[in-house]
Every structure is written in structure tokens, then in C-alpha cells.
Amino acid sequence: MIAYRCSKSGGGSDRSASYTIKTINTSTGDETLLKSSLESAFALNRTFNQNVIIGNNVGYCGNMFMGCNTLNQNIAIPYGVLNTAGMFRDCHILNKPISIPNSVIDASSMFSGCKSLNHNIQIPNNVNNCIHMFGYCYNLNQNIKIPNNANIVGMF
């Protein structure tokens, strides 16, 4: 089985730091460098069935899975990620729960344009930007817990 490991590999701000994505052969543990940026890392993959391990030193995951039609695997967003803006934008079907860690402060457009969210979403109290988080989503029939301090302009 192949998995992906995403990690920050340099200093600096989240947008200017160096990031890497490696494939991991889970049988042998062998790692191979795949990409050096997490922004839009897996964008436009039609059906994504691979495990993704995001390192706890990654702070920015903007548009990481944007435009994926179907995500069938768990995506673990670790504590330390600050920005998930557009992370799952225009994904049609999200079949596994997505837990947003307390470190996230910007979740703008995170699920914008999603067609089917098949799980509850709990937005942590630290998130202060929820602008367009669920904009243009269809079939929102799950519970969504919204923090009191969040900017929710156009959230739905």
C-alpha cells in the first residue's frame, strides 16, 4: 500500500516555507519525494483513495484537495495547521470524517462547492474566519457546530 507524508522542511512563514510530499511504501517503509509544496498538492485528482499523513509541522494546507471528486480515505489534519482555506473546495463527495484541529484559525472556503458532506463538522473555537466555508454546498444534512467568535459572512 502507498501512503503520502506531507511535512514542512524549512523555516519561515507557512506560505514561504519549504514543504515536501513523499510517497511511502507501507510494506517496506521506503519514501520517495513527490512534491515540494502542499498548496494544491492533490488538487484535481478525480478519485483519491490514498492515505495522507500531514506532518505536525505543516501550517498551511490551502487548496490541498481542491476539485477532487471523491475522497474515500481519512485525512488527518494535525494540531499545528493554521490555515485550511479551500482545502476541500469543490470536492464532490467526502466519505470520511474530517476533524479540524484547535490550531486552525482560517477555514475560509474550506468546503465551498462540496456536493455531499457525509459527516458532522465541528469548527473549533480558535477558528475566526469561516467566510464562505460551506458556500455553494449541496446536501448539507449533517450537524455543524459554529464557534461564537467566528466571522461567518457568506458561510452558507
Side-chain angles (χ1 to χ4, degrees):
M1 177 194 259
I2 298 292
Y4 293 92
R5 181 182 315 279
C6 308
S7 60
K8 184 176 178 181
S9 59
S13 70
D14 291 328
R15 288 186 184 254
S16 64
S18 175
Y19 294 93
T20 59
I21 300 174
K22 296 179 179 178
T23 59
I24 304 166
N25 182 322
T26 55
S27 299
T28 65
D30 293 338
E31 295 187 14
T32 305
L33 180 63
L34 184 63
K35 286 191 174 198
S36 59
S37 173
L38 290 188
E39 183 167 7
S40 304
F42 303 105
L44 304 177
N45 280 290
R46 292 299 169 220
T47 300
F48 196 83
N49 289 312
Q50 302 298 322
N51 292 320
V52 174
I53 304 164
I54 302 170
N56 60 5
N57 57 352
V58 172
Y60 181 72
C61 293
N63 301 319
M64 190 171 182
F65 297 97
M66 180 180 72
C68 293
N69 281 352
T70 304
L71 291 174
N72 291 317
Q73 295 295 328
N74 290 323
I75 307 294
I77 305 170
Y79 184 85
V81 171
L82 302 172
N83 189 322
T84 57
M87 189 170 185
F88 302 101
R89 181 184 307 167
D90 295 325
C91 290
H92 292 192
I93 301 170
L94 296 170
N95 286 323
K96 299 289 184 171
I98 295 171
S99 178
I100 304 170
N102 288 329
S103 59
V104 172
I105 55 174
D106 184 352
S108 58
S109 300
M110 186 173 182
F111 301 101
S112 174
C114 291
K115 304 288 185 250
S116 185
L117 293 173
N118 297 320
H119 50 80
N120 295 337
I121 301 286
Q122 182 168 346
I123 304 167
N125 288 330
N126 288 345
V127 174
N128 58 30
N129 187 356
C130 295
I131 295 173
H132 302 292
M133 188 172 184
F134 300 98
Y136 305 103
C137 286
Y138 303 91
N139 297 326
L140 281 176
N141 55 9
Q142 301 296 324
N143 294 321
I144 298 172
K145 184 179 178 213
I146 304 168
N148 292 333
N149 62 329
N151 182 350
I152 59 170
V153 173
M155 186 175 188
F156 297 97

